[in-house]
Amino acid sequence: MSSTSVPKGTRDFLPDQMSGRKFLLNLLEELFQRHAFLPIETPSMEKIDTLLGKYGEEGDRLIFKVLNRGDRLSRALSSICSQSDIAVKETNSLADAALRYDLTIPFARFISQHRNDLHFPFKRYQIQPVWRADRPQKGRYREFVQCDVDIIGSSSILNELELIQITGEAFSSLGLSDVIVKINHRKLLEGIVTETGTNVPFQKITIVLDKWEKIGLEAVKNELSQAGMKEKEIEVLIRYVHQNTSINSIQTLPSNQMIEAGCSELEQILDWADKYCKVKVELDLKLARGLDYYTGIIIEAIHPEFGSSILGGGRYDNLTGMFGLPGVSGVGISFGADRIYDLLSLKRLLPESPFNRKSVLILNLGAEPEWMIRAASLIRESDAVADIYPDESKLKKQMKFANDKGFDFVVFMGAKERSEGTLKIRNMQSGDELELKSDELSTFFKK
Amino acid sequence: MSSTSVPKGTRDFLPDQMSGRKFLLNLLEELFQRHAFLPIETPSMEKIDTLLGKYGEEGDRLIFKVLNRGDRLSRALSSICSQSDIAVKETNSLADAALRYDLTIPFARFISQHRNDLHFPFKRYQIQPVWRADRPQKGRYREFVQCDVDIIGSSSILNELELIQITGEAFSSLGLSDVIVKINHRKLLEGIVTETGTNVPFQKITIVLDKWEKIGLEAVKNELSQAGMKEKEIEVLIRYVHQNTSINSIQTLPSNQMIEAGCSELEQILDWADKYCKVKVELDLKLARGLDYYTGIIIEAIHPEFGSSILGGGRYDNLTGMFGLPGVSGVGISFGADRIYDLLSLKRLLPESPFNRKSVLILNLGAEPEWMIRAASLIRESDAVADIYPDESKLKKQMKFANDKGFDFVVFMGAKERSEGTLKIRNMQSGDELELKSDELSTFFKK
């Protein structure tokens, strides 16, 4: 017998989960559309050199590679086997393609490849699964959905504003009004690091700062020290980034070109966000984001009842450079759809019915099939969901089915109704029953 | 520089293509929902033994395998290299997981795994990509979307009717009213094969018959002969299946139990289809379908202007048996989404605008950003698409952008409008211009 389970870290989605997921993703998609973002999709597989080297050493290890076939595989194996030492590192020759690890690198490749067919500034959204061979744990899967929104080809901070507006609108529509958006600026952070006088590269420092919420201040200090920062430098860095969380106190920072550039954009965004965004936006100078490619404003959204961030993003000035298209500025955010779903589920904010509209089951109690077929058509014409219980069976069994599935109404024609030429409708919630003529069905469900 | 192309046989979808794909898939999804089908999703990867051996030898070769990692990979390589002869056949040890080849086998695994959490009869739809390492050619891709609808756990032919109703409704809503649905019955076909007196297994014969439309009658005869059928047997078979294409002429067939069972269901379905389905349904005794697991009515939809079928399906009595759940009858159809898209595109039946509603670009001609931000919010509240051109640039450039992107309207506030406190709206199609006050914006786009 074949295996009846799925690979580690992957999931089936049953109808109850699907209805919640669709509710969430449709709401986001509809919002992106109203903001003139257009959808794109990229293949699940990319050429392996498109992906390798883009996510650091750890990332390379987590990429799912697709095994070559036929002659290419034979040749690769012969070559591996002829070596005195079988090195797994060399197994890249076994795979020419790999599953995408995120939506960002494929998007950068996409922009570069199709640059002549796109109109810039280009606003796109993309909702597709990504794959990481990570150790599965609660809330961390090997296949999960990313939901990315980017504007590329414009450096105006009106773009940052729009993304924060979308963030606010999304979470308030979802009923998550206590979400907080944290923002910071990579230039401001770099300006501060410059002021410490350290020789440690900025990127190394942001990787440590990014862990602050997770590991705490003391551990951050230790890691900065391990990264090569002197105690004095660490003290200066921490003093600046730890204490300043209001736009006014930014003014007490030392002044250099990068700090000024960062502050000026942050001030503008915080002012606009206050007026035009349906979400609390806070400056957080500790916010660093882990990814190398950010160069401007960085964004993260958190929910007080949830440990990890549920949205992240920022401005990047040269993402497409590695694909031969340098100097195209963009800004984007990524909704953590799986985490947001978990949060909505925890707070019971997802729709309960698996049907997304009024739903009716036609019971099969020995009425003419023709009658049931016509009744179902009439109900569907009124835009409700209609189903016929396909096999004639006991009333009790069919009622249990209606109840288990979450139908709002059942319609039936028993012996009495058949003799009178009527049918009965029962509201499954209230238990109310009503007698109707067949041709009144469509009107009944329209209201 | 990293590669800027995608793996062979895979595709990017640009916004213009996406809007057509979304139009098609949303229409189908909405239709499935009205018929009380519920969505499920299965992981892109299945355990390799879930997939291998289910699609024949050729199928096994076309499955994309996912390379193992770390120790498992080292061990597998050591074992392969220690063999005197490096056998690619043994490379299954290199992969524990593989990408799904269709939605049917994962669905069978799903039903078996979750049988206790589902209510039967279970109606599901599933729209997800599948992968096949086939040689790419026009209309054949290595990654493509399948769109499956199945009812499992009921043997009533009301289910077959519903699937044909959905087929009719789908194609007539899409504007493809000249689609023809062909039906046949595996039992009837098997009864006819029995009448020929041949010893060749029924499944071998269906595989040859399935090629009839593609290779023609003479080639079918040759292949049947190669499969071991005697000339006389072939003659009888062809005489029966070739000439009977109306339900009345079925009556002239010889009589045995299988032929009678098949005919009785076909008669009922053809009668109902005539009354309740928005599509022409024809009996075609040559229709065989390639897959082994069909046991009852089989269905195919074709379009006169398109070579290959655009939908296929049928009843299966024991699909879940291989996953330890025997004797559960089901019936399903699969829409060939990529082919239907190509057909709609060919016949210009897809929506032209990439936006799915009224769309407005706010030109950036030196007006206060605040004004543009507020105007965009007002327009979005009226449920139209609104975009702000993010950078102040020449009118001509912005108008070209509006035109290229397909915006319906542009809104702007030049120097004159600023001094008068008004704004101007231009209909991009007609060229008509209109002056408005800001607070009239939302009302204007609502109508």
Side-chain angles (χ1 to χ4, degrees):
Chain A
M1 197 186 94
S2 294
S3 164
T4 59
S5 64
V6 296
K8 195 164 71 163
T10 69
R11 294 167 289 170
D12 282 330
F13 294 105
L14 276 73
D16 284 347
Q17 297 158 318
M18 283 300 293
S19 69
R21 289 172 71 81
K22 280 186 178 283
F23 166 79
L24 168 61
L25 296 178
N26 289 347
L27 186 144
L28 293 177
E29 182 166 16
E30 144 78 28
L31 178 60
F32 304 155
Q33 287 170 345
R34 234 178 310 135
H35 281 259
F37 287 84
L38 295 175
I40 71 161
E41 283 183 5
T42 60
S44 300
M45 285 179 256
E46 293 278 348
K47 286 188 175 167
I48 204 154
D49 76 313
T50 301
L51 298 182
L52 288 181
K54 306 303 191 303
Y55 306 102
E57 252 181 67
E58 172 68 1
D60 280 357
R61 259 198 306 277
L62 300 185
I63 285 173
F64 279 109
K65 295 171 189 165
V66 175
L67 189 63
N68 284 341
R69 294 155 305 282
D71 287 350
R72 293 185 75 82
L73 181 57
S74 304
R75 281 199 301 273
L77 283 174
S78 301
S79 148
I80 289 171
C81 292
S82 69
Q83 289 159 22
S84 56
D85 190 28
I86 297 161
V88 171
K89 275 212 161 182
E90 305 297 313
T91 54
N92 284 344
S93 64
L94 293 173
D96 290 339
L99 296 178
R100 66 175 164 256
Y101 181 86
D102 69 3
L103 301 181
T104 308
I105 294 299
F107 177 55
R109 193 264 314 141
F110 177 100
I111 291 293
S112 173
Q113 181 176 343
H114 303 289
R115 62 184 94 166
N116 297 324
D117 300 315
L118 303 172
H119 309 291
F120 294 94
F122 180 60
K123 297 170 82 173
R124 85 86 168 80
Y125 70 87
Q126 190 174 355
I127 303 175
Q128 289 191 279
V130 302
W131 296 269
R132 294 183 187 176
D134 227 336
R135 193 138 44 100
Q137 48 179 264
K138 199 182 163 340
R140 192 202 281 163
Y141 307 102
R142 290 185 155 193
E143 174 174 43
F144 57 98
V145 167
Q146 284 196 339
C147 180
D148 280 22
V149 203
D150 287 79
I151 304 153
I152 194 157
S154 158
S155 48
S156 163
I157 58 166
L158 279 170
N159 298 312
E160 274 86 341
L161 172 68
E162 183 166 32
L163 294 177
I164 299 172
Q165 282 186 309
I166 285 177
T167 304
E169 196 144 340
F171 290 120
S172 76
S173 305
L174 289 167
L176 296 170
S177 49
D178 31 7
V179 163
I180 296 167
V181 170
K182 294 181 168 193
I183 64 170
N184 197 8
H185 201 295
R186 275 282 174 95
K187 284 209 181 71
L188 172 57
L189 213 48
E190 196 170 356
I192 290 172
V193 167
T194 307
E195 290 296 319
T196 68
T198 188
N199 291 324
V200 177
F202 176 56
Q203 292 180 349
K204 272 198 167 177
I205 295 172
T206 56
I207 287 171
V208 178
L209 283 181
D210 183 51
K211 301 184 191 168
W212 193 317
E213 292 293 335
K214 217 178 277 174
I215 65 177
L217 175 57
E218 284 315 306
V220 164
K221 283 183 180 171
N222 279 338
E223 288 205 18
L224 288 173
S225 166
Q226 277 161 31
M229 276 186 92
K230 294 178 193 134
E231 206 174 313
K232 184 76 216 277
E233 295 165 0
I234 296 175
E235 194 204 308
V236 174
L237 175 66
I238 299 293
R239 194 172 71 232
Y240 287 135
V241 304
H242 196 196
Q243 294 173 1
N244 293 284
T245 53
S246 91
I247 186 67
N248 298 325
S249 56
I250 291 193
Q251 318 293 347
T252 68
L253 288 173
S255 177
N256 64 36
Q257 221 184 330
M258 280 180 291
I259 291 181
E260 274 162 30
C263 280
S264 135
E265 290 197 351
L266 284 171
E267 269 185 273
Q268 178 66 83
I269 279 291
L270 285 164
D271 175 49
W272 281 346
D274 195 41
K275 291 182 197 154
Y276 304 115
C277 296
K278 296 181 184 167
V279 65
K280 193 172 173 191
V281 180
E282 278 181 2
L283 180 65
D284 181 356
L285 294 196
K286 320 191 282 302
L287 179 69
R289 305 285 305 149
L291 295 167
D292 281 357
Y293 48 70
Y294 291 125
T295 51
I297 285 177
I298 45 181
I299 304 169
E300 206 167 276
I302 56 158
H303 186 276
E305 292 171 43
F306 212 72
S308 33
S309 72
I310 52 178
L311 173 146
R315 178 166 292 276
Y316 41 84
D317 279 337
N318 196 24
L319 189 62
T320 55
M322 61 184 102
F323 296 100
L325 184 67
V328 182
S329 187
V331 58
I333 53 174
S334 180
F335 284 81
D338 283 270
R339 287 176 182 174
I340 297 168
Y341 173 85
D342 287 349
L343 185 57
L344 291 170
S345 173
L346 189 78
K347 294 177 74 74
R348 302 183 168 281
L349 290 169
L350 292 170
E352 283 197 8
S353 162
F355 303 112
N356 55 359
R357 64 193 85 186
K358 236 177 271 176
S359 56
V360 189
L361 178 69
I362 296 165
L363 303 185
N364 192 334
L365 301 168
E368 278 293 293
E370 265 83 359
W371 172 77
M372 297 191 290
I373 297 166
R374 279 196 303 268
S377 293
L378 283 172
I379 295 167
R380 284 178 201 128
E381 274 166 26
S382 77
D383 208 42
V385 170
D387 195 13
I388 300 172
Y389 195 88
D391 304 286
E392 196 180 331
S393 62
K394 290 208 174 111
L395 176 63
K396 202 176 157 189
K397 185 178 173 191
Q398 296 189 44
M399 286 299 283
K400 181 178 180 326
F401 177 82
N403 204 47
D404 288 344
K405 277 264 181 173
F407 280 98
D408 299 319
F409 296 90
V410 295
V411 170
F412 56 94
M413 201 194 247
K416 175 173 168 291
E417 289 79 22
R418 277 202 294 281
S419 71
E420 293 173 4
T422 59
L423 53 86
K424 213 164 231 174
I425 296 178
R426 184 189 169 91
N427 181 320
M428 293 295 288
Q429 195 91 47
S430 67
D432 293 346
E433 291 193 351
L434 190 80
E435 220 158 293
L436 274 190
K437 291 199 182 125
S438 275
D439 53 11
E440 296 171 316
L441 260 181
S442 170
T443 337
F444 179 82
F445 287 110
K446 247 182 202 141
K447 50 173 196 186
Chain B
M1 198 186 93
S2 295
S3 164
T4 59
S5 63
V6 297
K8 197 164 70 164
T10 69
R11 294 167 290 172
D12 283 330
F13 294 105
L14 276 72
D16 284 346
Q17 297 159 318
M18 283 300 293
S19 68
R21 288 173 70 83
K22 278 183 179 288
F23 166 78
L24 169 61
L25 296 178
N26 290 346
L27 186 143
L28 293 176
E29 182 165 15
E30 145 77 26
L31 179 59
F32 304 156
Q33 287 170 347
R34 235 178 309 133
H35 281 260
F37 287 84
L38 295 176
I40 70 159
E41 282 183 6
T42 60
S44 300
M45 286 179 256
E46 293 278 350
K47 286 187 175 168
I48 204 155
D49 76 311
T50 300
L51 300 183
L52 287 182
K54 306 303 192 300
Y55 307 102
E57 250 181 67
E58 172 68 0
D60 280 357
R61 260 198 306 277
L62 300 185
I63 286 172
F64 279 109
K65 296 171 189 165
V66 175
L67 188 62
N68 283 340
R69 294 154 305 282
D71 288 351
R72 291 187 75 81
L73 180 57
S74 303
R75 281 199 302 272
L77 284 173
S78 300
S79 147
I80 288 171
C81 292
S82 69
Q83 290 158 19
S84 56
D85 190 28
I86 297 162
V88 171
K89 277 216 162 180
E90 305 296 312
T91 55
N92 283 345
S93 63
L94 293 172
D96 290 339
L99 296 179
R100 65 174 164 256
Y101 181 85
D102 68 3
L103 301 180
T104 307
I105 295 299
F107 177 55
R109 194 263 313 140
F110 177 100
I111 291 294
S112 174
Q113 181 176 344
H114 303 289
R115 61 184 96 165
N116 296 323
D117 301 316
L118 303 172
H119 309 292
F120 293 94
F122 180 60
K123 298 170 80 172
R124 84 89 167 78
Y125 70 88
Q126 189 173 355
I127 303 173
Q128 289 192 279
V130 302
W131 296 269
R132 295 182 188 178
D134 228 334
R135 195 142 39 102
Q137 49 179 262
K138 199 179 163 344
R140 192 201 283 163
Y141 307 101
R142 293 187 152 190
E143 175 174 42
F144 57 97
V145 167
Q146 284 195 340
C147 183
D148 279 22
V149 204
D150 285 78
I151 303 154
I152 194 159
S154 158
S155 49
S156 163
I157 59 165
L158 279 171
N159 298 312
E160 273 87 342
L161 172 68
E162 182 166 32
L163 294 177
I164 299 172
Q165 282 187 308
I166 286 178
T167 304
E169 195 143 342
F171 290 120
S172 76
S173 304
L174 290 167
L176 296 170
S177 49
D178 32 7
V179 163
I180 296 166
V181 171
K182 294 180 168 193
I183 64 169
N184 196 7
H185 201 295
R186 275 282 173 97
K187 285 208 180 74
L188 173 56
L189 214 46
E190 198 170 354
I192 290 173
V193 167
T194 306
E195 290 297 320
T196 68
T198 187
N199 291 322
V200 178
F202 177 56
Q203 291 180 351
K204 270 197 168 178
I205 296 172
T206 56
I207 288 170
V208 178
L209 283 181
D210 183 51
K211 300 183 190 167
W212 194 318
E213 291 293 334
K214 218 178 274 172
I215 65 178
L217 175 57
E218 285 314 308
V220 163
K221 284 183 179 169
N222 279 338
E223 288 205 17
L224 288 173
S225 166
Q226 277 160 33
M229 276 186 93
K230 295 179 194 132
E231 206 172 315
K232 183 82 215 276
E233 295 165 1
I234 295 176
E235 195 203 307
V236 175
L237 176 65
I238 298 293
R239 194 173 69 234
Y240 287 134
V241 305
H242 197 198
Q243 294 171 3
N244 293 282
T245 53
S246 91
I247 186 66
N248 298 325
S249 55
I250 290 193
Q251 317 295 346
T252 69
L253 287 174
S255 177
N256 65 34
Q257 218 186 330
M258 279 181 291
I259 291 181
E260 274 162 29
C263 280
S264 134
E265 290 196 352
L266 284 171
E267 271 186 90
Q268 178 65 82
I269 279 290
L270 284 165
D271 175 49
W272 282 345
D274 195 42
K275 292 184 197 151
Y276 305 117
C277 296
K278 298 181 182 165
V279 67
K280 191 171 172 194
V281 180
E282 278 180 2
L283 181 65
D284 182 354
L285 293 195
K286 322 192 279 305
L287 180 68
R289 305 284 306 148
L291 295 167
D292 281 356
Y293 49 72
Y294 291 125
T295 51
I297 285 177
I298 45 181
I299 305 169
E300 206 167 275
I302 56 158
H303 187 276
E305 292 171 45
F306 212 71
S308 32
S309 72
I310 54 179
L311 173 145
R315 176 166 294 276
Y316 41 84
D317 279 336
N318 196 24
L319 189 62
T320 56
M322 62 184 101
F323 297 100
L325 183 66
V328 182
S329 187
V331 56
I333 52 174
S334 180
F335 285 82
D338 282 86
R339 287 177 182 173
I340 298 168
Y341 174 85
D342 287 349
L343 186 57
L344 291 170
S345 173
L346 189 78
K347 295 178 72 74
R348 301 184 169 280
L349 289 169
L350 292 169
E352 283 197 6
S353 162
F355 304 111
N356 54 358
R357 64 193 87 187
K358 236 177 269 176
S359 56
V360 189
L361 178 69
I362 297 165
L363 303 184
N364 192 334
L365 301 167
E368 278 293 294
E370 265 83 357
W371 171 78
M372 296 191 291
I373 297 167
R374 278 195 304 267
S377 293
L378 282 171
I379 295 167
R380 284 178 201 127
E381 275 166 25
S382 78
D383 207 43
V385 171
D387 195 14
I388 300 172
Y389 196 88
D391 304 285
E392 196 178 330
S393 62
K394 288 207 177 110
L395 176 63
K396 203 175 155 189
K397 183 178 173 188
Q398 296 188 43
M399 287 299 284
K400 181 177 179 329
F401 176 82
N403 205 47
D404 288 343
K405 278 264 179 172
F407 280 99
D408 300 318
F409 297 90
V410 295
V411 169
F412 56 95
M413 201 194 246
K416 174 173 167 293
E417 289 80 21
R418 278 203 292 283
S419 72
E420 293 173 3
T422 59
L423 52 87
K424 214 164 231 174
I425 297 179
R426 184 189 169 91
N427 181 319
M428 293 296 288
Q429 196 90 48
S430 67
D432 293 346
E433 291 193 352
L434 189 80
E435 221 158 291
L436 273 190
K437 289 194 183 134
S438 275
D439 52 11
E440 295 170 318
L441 260 181
S442 170
T443 336
F444 179 82
F445 288 110
K446 245 179 206 144
K447 47 173 198 183

